Amino acid sequence: MNRNTKTIPFFKPTLGRAEIAATKRVIESGWLTTGPETIAFETEFAAFLRSSTAEDEESIRTLAVSSATAGLHLALESLGIGRNDLVAIPSLTFTANAAVIRHLGADPVFIDSEPIAGNIDPANITHAFKKTEREGRRIKAIIPVHLAGHPCDMDGIRMAIGNRQVSIVEDAAHAFPSKTQAGMAGCLGDIGVFSFYATKAITCGEGGMVVTRNSDYLKRMKLMQLHGIDRTVWNRYSNRTGMRSWEYDIIAAGFKYNLSDFAAAIGREQLKRAKSLLKLRLELAQQYQRMLSDIDELTLPNDCPGHAWHLFIIRLRDNTTRNLLSDELHREGIGSSVHFIPLHRMQYWKKLYNLNPENFSVADKLGEESLSLPLWPGLKTRDLQRISGIIRSFFCART
Ligand SMILES: *Cc1c(COP(=O)(O)O)cnc(C)c1O
């Protein structure tokens, strides 16, 4: 690498004075854990989702959590998922989806991807229903993951479900904000979960948001989020219920999945930027599409209305080419990543469920041939020109 050339990391969050001021505000307030900032963040996040859709969305409710993983765990628990239940997930996803299912004593059913966006394939869900029903077991929930911010085929998923009793928990970790004809991603199923991890579209370091219209699920998730205590800590210490702060009861073996006011304060500032950050990502994605469109060796990501462009995932001819291109970019100081190595290739899941790559031919190929290029709002046109130039030279040198 030329020492004078700038390195371009795979991702860099957009943080500034507003986030620093928010952190200061929390320190000066003296209240660090879940409190007024978190409550405001929940309200503002719900308002954002409502304002982004045409319909009346008054019933949308939110719960801030310590991570999307925590949110997924709470979501499945509130739906009553337990021992020996089955939950369908794509194989092409992050391990958190499968892990939370195991935490509840249930088993994941891994589903292959459709080839357009790499999302969970409705045809394969139908197949999984039939197979598990023949074995006398029932899929109780499905977790569609809106990969890269490209919405899943929710109509197709509903058709596959038919008249079965199956809950939908959306993993919207990549989909803030993705818009569909039916509404915002995260609001299309029974429960939706967003992530504010350091590399996500908006971040507060670590954090997540759970969305639902169902007050029973929300009530259960609130209880299980904080030790199974029948009152929130903020209500206890602010004496809003008129009870003594130590007067509480435990009604379940709860988790510790609350968000701190530090994180919430940063999240609130990030939320104010969400629309402008989306606009910048959209412009960058369009620039990539234009700059790379004439390279025959590449397959560019599918564009669609309402795409959040959290990731820009290109496809190469084969695994060797993908790896060599990633190495070449690395030599030039440019970060890249893979979303994802499918779970059927991960030793733990592969061994536990005896998974065979042949049953996941689409996800398997995507896992071998995909490469995620840098896509974050601080990138400039000249950065994309440099990245595109390196990719072009890479192919020229090989032919
Ligand atoms: C990041 C991510 C998660 C986990 O989010 P955390 O907030 O880190 O728990 C879950 N699913 C997908 C698809 C992700 O990309």
Side-chain angles (χ1 to χ4, degrees), residues 67-69 93-94 96-97 145 171 173-174 195 197 200 206-207 340:
S67 69
T69 305
T93 188
F94 187 56
N97 290 165
V145 182
D171 179 336
H174 294 183
S195 172
Y197 178 68
K200 300 292 156 76
E206 296 282 358
F340 293 92

Side-chain angles (χ1 to χ4, degrees), residues 202-251:
I202 69 165
T203 182
C204 52
E206 296 282 358
M209 192 71 75
V210 180
V211 181
T212 185
R213 293 186 183 82
N214 183 304
S215 54
D216 293 331
Y217 300 155
L218 185 71
K219 199 171 157 210
R220 178 69 185 179
M221 290 192 286
K222 276 192 172 174
L223 174 74
M224 294 307 286
Q225 179 199 40
L226 208 65
H227 305 299
I229 296 174
D230 62 351
R231 286 193 288 152
T232 72
V233 66
W234 174 245
N235 278 342
R236 284 200 282 128
Y237 285 90
S238 61
N239 198 21
R240 301 211 304 189
T241 54
M243 289 164 79
R244 294 171 192 92
S245 69
W246 47 263
E247 282 181 317
Y248 64 81
D249 204 359
I250 298 295
I251 52 179

Side-chain angles (χ1 to χ4, degrees), residues 37-55:
E37 295 282 352
T38 307
I39 293 166
F41 187 30
E42 288 171 343
T43 309
E44 289 158 9
F45 197 87
F48 182 98
L49 290 175
R50 282 188 206 117
S51 71
S52 304
T53 48
E55 329 119 65

Side-chain angles (χ1 to χ4, degrees), residues 178-197:
S178 299
K179 197 171 181 169
T180 74
Q181 295 239 310
M184 301 300 288
C187 306
L188 306 172
D190 296 279
I191 302 174
V193 184
F194 293 92
S195 172
F196 310 130
Y197 178 68

